[in-house]
Amino acid sequence: MPGAARAVFSSLSVIAVFCAYMALLWLVARWAEEGHAAGKSLVNNPYVYSLSLAVFCSSWTYYGSVGTAATSGLLFMTVYLGPTLGIIFWWTVLRKLVRLKTAHHITSIADFISVRYEKSASLAALATALALVGNMPYIALQLKAVFTTFTIITHEQGPADAWIGSHVGPIIVVLLVVFTIIFGVRRLDPTERHEGMVMAVAVESLFKLVLFMAAGAFVVFSLYDGPADILERFPHLPPPADPFTPGQWIAYLILSMNAVLFLPRQFHIAVVESQSERHIRQAMWMLPLYLLLINLFVYPIAGAGLLRSYPITQADQFVLTLPLNNGDPWLALLVFLGGFSAATAMVLISAMTMATMLTNHLLLPLVGWVKRLGFLERHLLECRWVAVAGYIVMGWWYEQLVGESLMLVNIGMIAFAAFFQFAPAAIGGIFWRAGNKAGALLGLGAGFLVWGYTMLLPSFVHSGWIHRGFLDEGPWGITWLRPEQLFGLSGLDPVSHNLFWSLVFNLGLYVLGSLWFQPDPEAQSQAEEFVGALGSGAVLGHASQREAYVDLEVKRDKIERLLSRFFAKSKAAVMADRCIRAVGLTGKTRLTIIELAELYKEVEKNLAGGVGAAAAHKALERASLFTSREARELTEVYGEILANLRARPKDLIRKIDFHQEREALISRHAAELEEKVLQMQDQMVMRMEAERALRESEERYRTAIESSSDGVAMIKDGRFIYINKTFAEIFGYPRRRELVGKDLNVIVHPQEKLKVLELSLQRQDGERMPGRYDFKGVRKDGSPIFVAVSATTTTFQGDTVVLAYVRDVTARRQAEDDIRRLSRRLIEGIEDERKRLAADLHDEFGQALTALHFGVEALAGGLGPEQEGQRRACGELIRSIEGLADSIRLISSDLRPDMLDHLGLVPTLDWYVTEFQRRHKEMEVDFTAVGFAFKRRLDPRLEIVLYRIVQEALNNVAKYSQAGRVTVQLINSHPRVILGIRDDGVGFEPAPRPESPKLGGIGHISMRERVSSVGGTIEIRSAPGKGVSIRAEVPMVLEENS
Amino acid sequence: MKRDRRLLSRPGFQGFLFGLGLVMLHWPFLIWPQGWRQPHAYLYLFLVWALLVLAMFFISRNLGPRLPSARGSEPSED
């Protein structure tokens, strides 16, 4: 038989797979809850919010849409097109609901209706009853889908599978109860927010979307050649078995539009779990997009099933049977999981929401009436568990009753029609100020009855539970009471028929009842608040001029006692303290009556979060928190306010709402602004201080730079980027801008360009360079200039630049040159004089003494023997003359050795050292000359300088050194001549500056001047006990014409 | 651009879009009581649907969080 599924998985393995899947979801939920506990909400974003709203797509969407498409064509689209149209108004409608939820701690749709209409417990109970009965078909729908698909995908392989197969209903029901309790009703939460569950639902939404689209893609692209191929075959299909009418199309659109917001689970996700109004904006397009995507393949899948002649009665399962029968059982298993995911998400949220509503709006009022049930207040959580179980079991019962007789879409529409009954009271409650409790009770009650009569009872008839005659002939044969043709209205399908009578009775009675019965001022105030929710918020007075006489401790005890009726004692104490803190009463012992009223409202708000607004209101009323005196004074306060303002209560409340909201808003903005201003002030002060310090520093630096007697320049990449005035003046530029931007070379003498540029670039690149050096520059007029440069690198506007301090040293250089020239002249003069004196001594005195020597010898030769005394006297005289001649020769040599002029420096030094050794036998003196084998002699000026240095050095050695050994070395190291003299004497403390006369001595100064006069350098090193080392280097200059 | 933004964020425009969407989604039935042939209607309805989603995307981008006015005006619906 076509479409008969070939199951391949054992029941046990499928149960194991979806237990594993739920475990995975549980981990996701835990992750979200832990994030929330750690202060980082993973759910507080528009994507999770939008995906969680897709819980709208239950197994009805997953399976039922295909079934509808197969039987009624495009009618399935209305269930999603309606929400798409309705969502257009969400920015107004849903935002109002979210704002009211925040203000009143609303926990469910029943709670919302109750709060709006005088916190009516009866209205809440009625809404809860409607939701309970209305949801029953919806739960049945999910269970039917799961049971049916489970049967399709599994087969029995053993006794265990056989047992599971025969107990699939109870097993799945138990699993769903357990999962619902674990995910959503694990503990009591006054906010009724469940981040873990919302995250799990969002993940489920994504999961089912992906898998449904995967199934669609499989059908379109694997079983057929794409969308065009399959659509082209559609005209060959027989016309829809159950074609829809335009009226049906409109009715479905309207019911779906309502359902996306007022189904209890949708209300819970969209309103109660909402964390930010901003998320609504994204949800406004993301949810419709989700709906579009999940429906994209519905029609092709339905067509494919029909084209393959699958039975139309099994159209709900086409999405599963197509992959299963066409060779892809694993895809079928995943598709089954997607459907299971869609069903469980719906059941989880619905059961949790209904459990809250049942306990808050049915059980607690019942406990209030029946005192014996008072103990249940302490077991609210356990009561909710029972409610979850009861609710799911009730859905299962309904499934067993009607599941076989109706398709998924028909069951779903029964639920949609039920929840449409909320629409007049809910929509009217936020847009119509005159809507009141009486109208809501009448409308909702009538709507409930109409729905039950025209939708629920016929479903029992179709299941065979009620006799068919009830439907065809009416009760007791009264035809105009026929449920599907009420008052003779025929020609409409059941859904349109119900919608029509719902609008007539529900909407009509809501309007009439609201207009007929006048609400009290408190109800009017509440209506104002709800209608103006986007413009105002919950308020409390701030009058504080009254006497503070109410004992806070007493009131706190009362509040704690009240709360402990519903919560554990420790939690009640914490909640009581939180309420006191929330209204700013911490630390006070006495309260004014206004403060007490604020505390009362805070307690009511907190309690409403746990037990619903109506129950909380009743509980507080019964707790008698106000004494008679306090109640009287509160009345007086309100009376005074009204009298002073000369306003009606309605106007007053509106104004108070507006002004207090405005004040709160302004205060909040002001506080934020104040904080920001303070932060900015601090930042500004710090910045100003820093800027001032920087400015002062800059100013000081600029002044120092500008007024510096040295030229200052910044150079980047070889170009000036800044110069001071002095710098420009040094180089003869009247205006600074003539140099800024120019190349460094413009101020460097051509001989030194390469040297200066290299130094500048290497320094800029961070290489270690001498910090100070001189160079020869050129002024603007071309005249040369000597400058001393001190340079370093710095950062300017983020770049590394060279900062150079320049001083004009031309005068100093000229003075040095002059001194050097004069010194040379002086030395030359001295040498000339010595030379002349030596020559004179040699020539004049030598000749005279020679003549005298010969004369005295002749005189002595002429004396006789008797003149022995005279002869001896002449002999004495001749010896004196010879001694005098020796002395004169020595002095002459000292002044200017003849040898130097005639034989040159090396023989002269050799002779001089030998003579010195002869005179000072206590020390050993060595002389070595290296590299002087050539014939050309050194320049005479150079020779005399080197000779004098040796002479002066050896004189010092003889006088002071107490040396045992002296070495003299003369080395020709072209192009320089190096003279070294070293002794091993006592040495001396080196001078701090080489030119210091005190330590260096006159002899050293003389040496320096002599060396300097020929352009050489001299280095004298010594230390106590280390002897003296003298090293002179002079440029080698050879004698001309030698 | 500023005018576009103002237009998209006005409740009136949202009402207009709702009305337009409603008419467009009924068009196959308005012009022919039995509706168009199904494949054509299917493509047409999805096209309209996609356009509605696109329009809502642009609307949502231009909706600002409107807190109660602090500039002195009376509370009002937006």
Side-chain angles (χ1 to χ4, degrees):
Chain A
M1 178 184 168
R6 292 186 292 275
V8 292
F9 301 100
S10 72
S11 306
L12 203 58
S13 59
V14 172
I15 291 275
V17 165
F18 72 59
C19 281
Y21 171 72
M22 292 309 288
L24 197 67
L25 276 185
W26 163 246
L27 290 178
V28 170
R30 286 289 300 163
W31 174 54
E33 282 174 2
E34 282 168 14
H36 176 62
K40 187 184 173 187
S41 174
L42 302 168
V43 172
N44 188 11
N45 67 70
Y47 306 103
V48 172
Y49 181 66
S50 303
L51 280 173
S52 62
L53 281 167
V55 71
F56 181 73
C57 299
S58 62
S59 55
W60 175 6
T61 305
Y62 207 84
Y63 298 116
S65 289
V66 177
T68 315
T71 54
S72 304
L74 297 174
L75 184 65
F76 76 94
M77 290 178 73
T78 53
V79 179
Y80 312 96
L81 288 172
T84 301
L85 287 172
I87 287 169
I88 293 175
F89 296 115
W90 269 16
W91 188 241
T92 303
V93 177
L94 181 53
R95 201 155 56 100
K96 261 190 182 185
L97 296 176
V98 168
R99 198 166 284 185
L100 290 166
K101 178 268 299 190
T102 308
H104 296 277
H105 278 220
I106 287 166
T107 57
S108 64
I109 176 78
D111 201 24
F112 167 74
I113 292 174
S114 157
V115 172
R116 165 61 178 87
Y117 299 105
E118 303 176 35
K119 295 179 181 164
S120 163
S122 51
L123 200 48
L126 182 61
T128 301
L130 175 61
L132 178 68
V133 184
N135 246 334
M136 193 170 62
Y138 218 151
I139 293 288
L141 184 159
Q142 312 305 321
L143 294 175
K144 182 188 174 189
V146 173
F147 298 162
T148 312
T149 52
F150 185 87
T151 310
I152 290 171
I153 200 144
T154 58
H155 70 123
E156 295 172 7
Q157 288 181 338
D161 284 333
W163 185 85
I164 290 172
S166 58
H167 295 85
V168 64
I171 290 171
I172 289 174
V173 165
V174 168
L175 284 175
L176 287 174
V177 169
V178 171
F179 289 144
T180 305
I181 291 172
I182 290 175
F183 278 88
V185 202
R186 214 164 58 250
R187 56 177 175 265
L188 281 180
D189 186 342
T191 64
E192 285 300 339
R193 274 196 190 154
H194 310 80
E195 293 221 348
M197 196 187 62
V198 171
M199 179 59 103
V201 168
V203 171
E204 283 192 309
S205 294
L206 199 60
F207 188 67
K208 69 194 174 200
L209 174 67
V210 170
L211 290 176
F212 191 87
M213 292 192 76
F218 170 80
V219 169
V220 171
F221 297 102
S222 187
L223 302 184
Y224 295 91
D225 293 332
D229 179 32
I230 196 166
L231 289 177
E232 277 171 10
R233 296 169 191 254
F234 274 24
H236 305 300
L237 287 171
D242 185 16
F244 63 89
T245 61
Q248 208 173 352
W249 178 271
I250 293 173
Y252 276 41
L253 269 182
I254 293 171
L255 293 182
S256 308
M257 206 181 294
N258 170 78
V260 77
L261 196 53
F262 294 125
L263 283 178
R265 71 173 190 280
Q266 290 302 121
F267 187 90
H268 184 86
I269 293 288
V271 180
V272 179
E273 297 284 357
S274 167
Q275 305 217 14
S276 168
E277 290 178 12
R278 289 195 308 274
H279 297 167
I280 298 169
R281 277 189 302 184
Q282 270 74 23
M284 281 177 68
W285 66 270
M286 282 187 195
L287 182 59
L289 180 63
Y290 184 100
L291 299 178
L292 184 146
L293 290 175
I294 205 166
N295 281 285
L296 205 55
F297 290 108
V298 166
Y299 196 51
I301 291 171
L306 294 175
L307 284 169
R308 284 165 185 262
S309 304
Y310 286 8
I312 199 162
T313 51
Q314 293 175 14
D316 283 341
Q317 293 89 45
F318 281 179
V319 67
L320 188 64
T321 50
L322 279 168
L324 193 64
N325 291 341
N326 289 282
D328 208 335
W330 289 102
L331 177 63
L333 180 65
L334 286 173
V335 169
F336 166 76
L337 261 187
F340 178 76
S341 176
T344 49
M346 183 272 159
V347 174
L348 286 181
I349 303 281
S350 289
M352 186 201 71
T353 313
M354 285 311 303
T356 306
M357 288 163 69
L358 283 168
T359 50
N360 288 357
H361 306 307
L362 289 181
L363 181 68
L364 287 176
L366 187 68
V367 168
W369 295 327
V370 184
K371 298 297 176 195
R372 277 188 203 168
L373 297 176
F375 72 96
L376 289 176
E377 286 181 339
R378 301 294 305 276
H379 299 281
L380 208 54
L381 185 61
E382 290 78 2
C383 290
R384 285 193 182 173
W385 294 349
V386 173
V388 165
Y391 170 69
I392 294 176
V393 168
M394 206 166 84
W396 181 33
W397 169 77
Y398 186 80
E399 190 276 334
Q400 296 290 307
L401 198 67
V402 303
E404 290 299 317
S405 58
L406 295 174
M407 287 191 73
L408 295 180
V409 64
N410 300 324
I411 303 175
M413 271 301 155
I414 295 172
F416 272 25
F419 297 117
F420 180 73
Q421 309 310 321
F422 289 140
I427 303 277
I430 56 173
F431 288 106
W432 192 37
R433 286 185 176 82
N436 61 29
K437 177 181 160 185
L441 266 173
L442 284 170
L444 194 59
F448 191 5
L449 290 175
V450 167
W451 169 78
Y453 191 72
T454 59
M455 292 295 285
L456 190 64
L457 287 182
S459 76
F460 291 144
V461 173
H462 292 303
S463 72
W465 200 44
I466 298 176
H467 189 262
R468 179 83 198 177
F470 178 79
L471 206 58
D472 296 336
E473 296 156 17
W476 307 287
I478 307 170
T479 52
W480 57 275
L481 284 182
R482 282 177 298 180
E484 290 184 339
Q485 294 167 41
L486 195 59
F487 305 125
L489 180 65
S490 58
L492 289 178
D493 66 282
V495 176
S496 307
H497 175 263
N498 168 260
L499 181 65
F500 175 81
W501 287 119
S502 294
L503 285 171
V504 169
F505 284 99
N506 189 339
L507 184 60
L509 286 174
Y510 173 69
V511 172
L512 282 175
S514 297
L515 294 175
W516 186 265
F517 297 98
Q518 281 299 311
D520 60 31
E522 193 180 347
Q524 278 185 346
S525 131
Q526 195 78 327
E528 289 290 341
E529 185 181 342
F530 271 59
V531 173
L534 294 180
S536 63
V539 290
L540 270 178
H542 286 291
S544 56
Q545 304 300 318
R546 314 288 296 190
E547 180 195 356
Y549 68 91
V550 181
D551 189 330
L552 177 59
E553 197 52 40
V554 172
K555 297 297 177 192
R556 192 197 166 286
D557 287 346
K558 275 193 171 184
I559 291 166
E560 193 178 330
R561 270 204 306 279
L562 167 68
L563 294 172
S564 63
R565 284 170 51 197
F566 304 97
F567 301 98
K569 274 199 168 180
S570 56
K571 189 161 186 174
V574 170
M575 283 178 75
D577 288 337
R578 193 168 58 207
C579 292
I580 289 169
R581 202 167 47 246
V583 287
L585 301 177
T586 310
K588 289 192 175 183
T589 54
R590 301 274 166 186
L591 311 178
T592 64
I593 190 65
I594 300 298
E595 287 168 335
L596 180 61
E598 286 178 344
L599 181 59
Y600 182 97
K601 185 147 188 174
E602 185 64 28
V603 172
E604 185 179 341
K605 197 166 81 175
N606 271 268
L607 188 58
V611 301
H617 189 64
K618 282 275 180 204
L620 271 156
E621 270 183 0
R622 285 206 301 269
S624 304
L625 209 60
F626 290 95
T627 63
S628 55
R629 179 194 166 185
E630 288 159 0
R632 193 173 58 249
E633 195 182 349
L634 192 59
T635 310
E636 285 171 11
V637 168
Y638 289 135
E640 280 173 21
I641 293 170
L642 288 171
N644 290 337
L645 292 175
R646 292 173 187 171
R648 290 183 303 152
K650 184 177 171 182
D651 299 334
L652 177 65
I653 287 162
R654 251 195 108 178
K655 283 183 191 299
I656 288 173
D657 278 356
F658 167 64
H659 288 292
Q660 286 195 340
E661 180 64 20
R662 189 176 158 205
E663 184 191 332
L665 190 72
I666 291 170
S667 300
R668 195 164 67 241
H669 286 180
E672 287 169 5
L673 282 174
E674 198 175 340
E675 194 175 336
K676 281 182 183 164
V677 165
L678 284 173
Q679 285 173 356
M680 289 186 72
Q681 272 180 350
D682 287 347
Q683 286 173 358
M684 281 172 67
V685 167
M686 285 167 64
R687 188 172 292 180
M688 282 166 68
E689 284 290 321
E691 283 178 354
R692 189 177 58 74
L694 188 63
R695 265 201 313 276
E696 286 177 3
S697 171
E698 277 182 358
E699 194 57 40
R700 279 198 297 273
Y701 184 68
R702 186 182 298 279
T703 306
I705 294 285
E706 289 295 336
S707 60
S708 170
S709 58
D710 288 342
V712 181
M714 275 190 200
I715 302 151
K716 184 184 168 196
D717 299 330
R719 290 183 178 277
F720 294 108
I721 57 173
Y722 166 81
I723 60 167
N724 70 351
K725 193 178 170 189
T726 310
F727 189 94
E729 286 171 357
I730 287 172
F731 290 96
Y733 288 87
R735 287 176 294 275
R736 282 187 270 185
R737 65 172 178 272
E738 290 182 59
L739 267 181
V740 173
K742 294 277 172 53
D743 197 287
L744 176 63
N745 278 332
V746 299
I747 61 153
V748 182
H749 194 275
Q751 293 167 351
E752 307 223 17
K753 278 184 179 173
L754 192 59
K755 168 188 159 190
V756 173
L757 187 61
E758 276 183 2
L759 283 170
S760 174
L761 291 175
Q762 286 169 351
R763 178 169 288 107
Q764 190 177 321
D765 292 343
E767 294 182 27
R768 291 192 64 179
M769 306 301 302
R772 293 161 187 267
Y773 60 92
D774 291 358
F775 76 89
K776 190 175 180 181
V778 58
R779 290 197 176 93
K780 186 183 179 187
D781 59 8
S783 59
I785 178 174
F786 287 95
V787 289
V789 179
S790 174
T792 183
T793 53
T794 186
T795 304
F796 179 71
Q797 294 177 348
D799 293 324
T800 302
V801 298
V802 175
L803 180 64
Y805 295 84
V806 176
R807 183 171 292 177
D808 184 356
V809 294
T810 309
R812 192 190 80 195
R813 286 288 290 262
Q814 282 174 348
E816 283 173 359
D817 287 348
D818 289 347
I819 289 168
R820 198 174 293 120
R821 197 164 49 249
L822 286 171
S823 179
R824 191 164 60 239
R825 274 189 200 166
L826 181 64
I827 289 166
E828 284 172 359
I830 290 169
E831 287 301 328
D832 288 347
E833 189 58 28
R834 281 186 166 188
K835 190 175 177 182
R836 190 186 58 75
L837 196 58
D840 285 352
L841 280 172
H842 183 268
D843 294 348
E844 299 297 328
F845 285 89
Q847 286 178 9
L849 287 173
T850 304
L852 189 60
H853 184 271
F854 287 141
V856 173
E857 272 188 342
L859 182 62
L863 292 172
E866 70 280 5
Q867 292 174 303
E868 187 60 30
Q870 283 87 356
R871 193 181 290 120
R872 277 201 301 272
C874 284
E876 286 293 325
L877 190 58
I878 287 168
R879 280 193 292 279
S880 297
I881 290 167
E882 285 173 352
L884 184 60
D886 284 346
S887 296
I888 286 173
R889 196 163 49 251
L890 196 62
I891 292 167
S892 172
S893 291
D894 263 358
L895 285 170
R896 177 78 180 197
D898 263 357
M899 253 173 138
L900 191 61
D901 293 329
H902 296 111
L903 298 177
L905 178 63
V906 176
T908 306
L909 287 180
D910 193 28
W911 164 79
Y912 183 80
V913 168
T914 307
E915 277 296 307
F916 184 81
Q917 175 74 80
R918 192 175 56 78
R919 289 202 300 274
H920 302 282
K921 292 190 171 53
E922 73 280 3
M923 63 180 82
E924 188 185 338
V925 187
D926 266 349
F927 169 68
T928 317
V930 179
F932 285 94
F934 56 88
K935 290 186 178 174
R936 286 189 71 181
R937 286 180 51 190
L938 297 174
D939 184 83
R941 280 181 302 176
L942 205 58
E943 285 187 335
I944 193 68
V945 165
L946 294 171
Y947 174 77
R948 290 297 179 207
I949 290 170
V950 173
Q951 195 178 28
E952 185 66 40
L954 290 181
N955 279 342
N956 284 341
V957 169
K959 282 181 190 171
Y960 311 115
S961 74
Q962 303 171 28
R965 181 179 171 80
V966 184
T967 56
V968 179
Q969 282 188 316
L970 184 69
I971 300 168
N972 176 2
S973 177
H974 189 79
R976 303 185 77 79
V977 177
I978 301 168
L979 173 63
I981 303 151
R982 188 181 180 90
D983 70 63
D984 60 355
V986 295
F988 59 86
E989 189 72 39
R993 286 161 53 213
E995 61 272 23
S996 168
K998 184 180 173 188
L999 295 170
I1002 299 296
H1004 290 171
I1005 295 170
S1006 166
M1007 285 186 214
R1008 287 183 195 285
E1009 286 181 352
R1010 282 179 186 278
V1011 171
S1012 174
S1013 71
V1014 291
T1017 58
I1018 188 166
E1019 188 180 21
I1020 301 170
R1021 288 182 178 178
S1022 182
K1026 302 280 185 185
V1028 177
S1029 169
I1030 298 171
R1031 178 188 169 93
E1033 282 189 27
V1034 293
M1036 178 180 280
V1037 181
L1038 295 175
E1039 182 187 25
E1040 289 177 3
N1041 305 321
S1042 64
Chain B
M1 286 299 286
K2 197 174 173 185
R3 190 161 28 171
D4 294 346
R5 183 185 156 82
R6 211 168 45 235
L7 174 71
L8 289 171
S9 63
R10 292 180 74 162
F13 180 76
Q14 291 156 26
F16 165 76
L17 184 66
F18 176 83
L20 183 67
L22 207 58
V23 170
M24 297 290 278
L25 292 174
H26 285 80
W27 196 252
F29 312 106
L30 290 175
I31 60 173
W32 189 30
Q34 301 306 313
W36 293 355
R37 288 175 63 191
Q38 293 220 343
H40 298 152
Y42 167 76
L43 293 173
Y44 168 81
L45 288 171
F46 265 94
L47 181 69
V48 173
W49 196 348
L51 289 174
L52 275 174
V53 173
L54 192 67
M56 286 162 78
F57 170 73
F58 285 112
I59 286 175
S60 70
R61 282 166 59 92
N62 291 289
L63 293 172
R66 295 188 180 183
L67 293 170
S69 168
R71 289 188 285 275
S73 61
E74 286 290 325
S76 61
E77 292 296 309
D78 63 349

